Amino acid sequence: MPVAAGCAHDGGAASGSSGRTAGDDDRSTQAAAPSSATRITPVTGTPRTVPAVRSFTARGGPGWRPSSAVRVVTDTDGPLADEARLLAGELKVTIAPGPARAGDVELALRPGQRGGPESYELTTRDGRVLITAPDEAGVFYGTRTLVQSVRSGGGVPEGVIADAPDRPQRGLHLDIARKHFTAEWIEARLREMADLKLNQLGLHFSDDQGFRIESASHPEIVSPEHLTKAEVRRIVALATSLHITVIPEIDSPGHLGAVLKAHPDLQLRDATGTPSRGAVDISLPGAAGIVDDLLREFTPLFPGPYWHLGSDEYRALMARDPQGSYPHLADLARQRYGSQGRVQDLATAWLNDRAAVVRSLGKKAKAWNDGFFRGGLVAPDQAIEVEYWTGRELGARDPQEYLNEGRTVVNLNDQYLYYVLGEPNEFRYPTGELIYKEWSPAVLRGTAPVAAGTADPRRVPGGRFAVWCDHPDAQTPDQVANGIRLPLAAVAQRLWDPRPPKLPWQDFTALYTAVRGG
């Protein structure tokens, strides 16, 4: 295994053969640059990475291989210092302020470089590597390409890699409400995601079975097994350093069983007085009050731009006759919106009100597709991103409808991207092979893509692979981690480049094993 095959992200630069540390003046005791005689075997072929690079222009030359004399060169007090320290630790070399010399890897920002903020160019020439990008995220992804190329081929071939993701949203959605995962387990997933150039982690931390983050405003709702706020800050800090945005989710007005356990007076009941599992009664001011308390408390904990409001599977709207089954909600809808008012109008107003709360706190709202209804007197706020997961629900709308309305739709297609513990309700654990061969960002529901020309990156900005813990004891955390690795790698490939992959599946899995490292 090449020298970079040790565990990634070990927290900083290792000492080089000279025993010097990051930031030391390289003019005195640094090891001399390697001579051409020490680089016997040239690096040839195409860089082999997951996801695959989108463009490589080969040039004549020996390429680049790591050695003990290599330095990672950048401004050691500048914006790329963290990326440099991480890369140096993985290569087991030092960092230095430059200037770069033969054998070195140089990191540099180039504002205005074409390709977008996550794009990068990696140039291998004259025995050195230069990684440039318009933004820090692009440089970081360039370092991931370099490390994977070392792991899979011993180095980087001579030439220029020009690379950028096709979709700006690429990630993993994790249900930590039904099953408690430790901070360390989540951090390990973040490191794996970063190596795959994924940039979003959704955390669904409130549901019927548990509320999993410490709360000051409502400590009575918190489950015994939970993350402390200090642990969440640590998770968010690691994610930020790896250019991953954490998207928190408090689902409402359904999936609030953990809140209702402590506040049964807020429970929704049907016409017979039967409690509706997990649903708050949206006619009660106290229901909105407690949810908004939580939104305001937790928003500062997550500095990213998004907040997920859930809004799926509200029991009142899963009934075949919502007005007849929940007459007190139907009466309120008519009072507020006139004789044509319906229960769905109350639910849509609830969603819009919660979106207004998070917008006032600087967040862009997301919600599940079954929280958006056709018709009605109240329309869902156009700015809320649709997270399309299913066409199985009663009255489910085709994803094409949302696109035709001009909405932004994110892909979490439950046919391919739902890993549901225990496989209830005819779910089956998804395979990386099917994702790799059949799925693309345009395949939002079932197996068929939406209409040609309607799933461009502006309208379908990406997707996430989702882990749901309906039967939390069906798998251990280690089994979950092992079960999602290949599917997540396949998702990363198809979101980075939605074109049919060039490698056969067996070759892709072998490559992923090679580039994973420790």
Side-chain angles (χ1 to χ4, degrees), residues 110 285 357 368 391 394 432 453 466 505:
R110 284 185 177 168
V357 170
W368 299 113
L394 181 68
W505 171 247

Side-chain angles (χ1 to χ4, degrees), residues 24-37:
D24 286 339
D25 188 337
D26 66 303
R27 293 172 293 178
S28 55
T29 59
Q30 276 285 1
S35 68
S36 59

Side-chain angles (χ1 to χ4, degrees), residues 112-135:
Q113 179 174 301
R114 64 182 181 180
E118 293 185 299
S119 67
Y120 67 93
E121 288 189 1
L122 189 156
T123 302
T124 305
R125 180 186 298 151
D126 300 330
R128 70 182 68 179
V129 174
L130 173 63
I131 300 173
T132 62
D135 193 84

Side-chain angles (χ1 to χ4, degrees), residues 117-460:
E118 293 185 299
S119 67
Y120 67 93
E121 288 189 1
L122 189 156
T123 302
T124 305
R125 180 186 298 151
D126 300 330
R128 70 182 68 179
V129 174
L130 173 63
I131 300 173
T132 62
D135 193 84
E136 295 169 40
V139 172
F140 177 71
Y141 295 142
T143 67
R144 301 306 85 206
T145 291
L146 183 143
V147 169
Q148 287 197 15
S149 296
V150 171
R151 290 173 177 161
S152 63
V156 186
E158 198 91 359
V160 179
I161 297 169
D163 203 11
D166 183 73
R167 306 286 157 153
Q169 296 191 41
R170 311 176 305 280
L172 170 67
H173 197 84
L174 182 62
D175 172 12
I176 65 170
R178 295 178 178 94
K179 183 180 183 68
H180 174 63
F181 292 97
T182 66
E184 292 77 13
W185 189 93
I186 296 171
E187 288 168 334
R189 305 290 75 71
L190 286 169
R191 294 184 176 98
E192 291 179 351
M193 291 170 60
D195 282 343
L196 291 169
K197 302 184 176 81
L198 297 171
N199 66 358
Q200 289 184 345
L201 174 67
L203 285 183
H204 174 93
F205 65 92
S206 170
D207 211 302
D208 296 342
Q209 296 82 353
F211 191 98
R212 299 292 182 178
I213 298 179
E214 170 190 3
S215 171
S217 67
H218 290 281
E220 73 280 2
I221 70 174
V222 179
S223 302
E225 284 189 308
H226 63 269
L227 298 172
T228 67
K229 287 187 176 178
E231 288 176 317
V232 173
R233 291 187 186 98
R234 197 179 83 201
I235 289 166
V236 170
L238 175 62
T240 301
S241 74
L242 299 173
H243 300 278
I244 295 171
T245 296
V246 180
I247 303 173
E249 181 190 358
I250 295 178
D251 204 342
S252 78
H255 292 282
L256 283 171
V259 171
L260 290 168
K261 185 176 180 181
H263 296 272
D265 54 308
L266 301 178
Q267 179 90 51
L268 176 67
R269 296 177 182 273
D270 67 14
T272 68
T274 302
S276 298
R277 181 170 61 88
V280 295
D281 188 335
I282 57 178
S283 72
L284 301 175
I290 193 169
V291 171
D292 290 351
D293 284 347
L294 295 168
L295 294 176
R296 293 189 176 98
E297 176 183 0
F298 286 103
T299 297
L301 197 59
F302 298 94
Y306 294 104
W307 188 282
H308 204 305
L309 296 169
S311 198
D312 63 309
E313 295 183 320
Y314 186 49
R315 292 287 167 176
L317 292 169
M318 296 174 72
R320 292 193 176 275
D321 179 13
Q323 278 60 236
S325 298
Y326 297 89
H328 75 289
L329 293 181
D331 288 344
L332 180 59
R334 286 189 289 268
Q335 290 173 27
R336 288 187 179 176
Y337 307 113
S339 61
Q340 299 303 309
R342 293 182 288 169
V343 175
Q344 78 169 56
D345 295 313
L346 292 181
T348 300
W350 171 282
L351 172 61
N352 289 346
D353 288 346
R354 308 291 79 73
V357 170
V358 299
R359 187 183 305 112
S360 73
L361 298 167
K363 304 299 183 186
K364 183 177 179 64
K366 292 173 173 282
W368 299 113
N369 67 282
D370 49 333
F372 297 76
F373 305 97
R374 65 167 64 89
L377 299 176
V378 181
D381 187 329
Q382 192 73 18
I384 303 172
E385 288 192 355
V386 179
E387 302 249 316
Y388 199 97
W389 72 281
T390 191
R392 304 185 190 203
E393 299 294 338
L394 181 68
R397 299 171 64 194
D398 191 275
Q400 194 69 55
E401 288 191 40
Y402 303 98
L403 295 168
N404 292 345
E405 291 172 3
R407 296 188 180 276
T408 301
V409 183
V410 179
N411 193 326
L412 287 95
N413 182 343
D414 64 353
Q415 179 99 2
Y416 292 98
L417 306 182
Y418 261 39
Y419 191 96
V420 185
L421 297 198
E423 300 185 312
N425 302 322
E426 299 182 356
F427 281 106
R428 295 293 178 264
Y429 293 124
T431 71
E433 184 173 7
L434 287 181
I435 296 168
Y436 188 76
K437 292 180 176 179
E438 299 179 5
W439 180 80
S440 76
V443 181
L444 283 154
R445 174 179 176 174
T447 61
V450 295
T454 65
D456 61 84
R458 181 183 58 84
R459 306 180 73 183
V460 181

Side-chain angles (χ1 to χ4, degrees), residues 28-100:
S28 55
T29 59
Q30 276 285 1
S35 68
S36 59
T38 64
R39 297 194 301 268
I40 298 172
T41 306
V43 183
T44 59
T46 301
R48 289 166 47 79
T49 63
V50 177
V53 301
R54 299 182 72 185
S55 172
F56 173 61
T57 303
R59 291 176 175 163
W64 175 91
R65 290 183 183 273
S67 75
S68 60
V70 166
R71 304 172 307 160
V72 178
V73 172
T74 197
D75 179 353
T76 54
D77 295 317
L80 298 177
D82 288 343
E83 286 75 15
R85 279 189 287 269
L86 174 59
L87 179 61
E90 292 168 315
L91 296 177
K92 298 179 172 57
V93 299
T94 59
I95 64 173

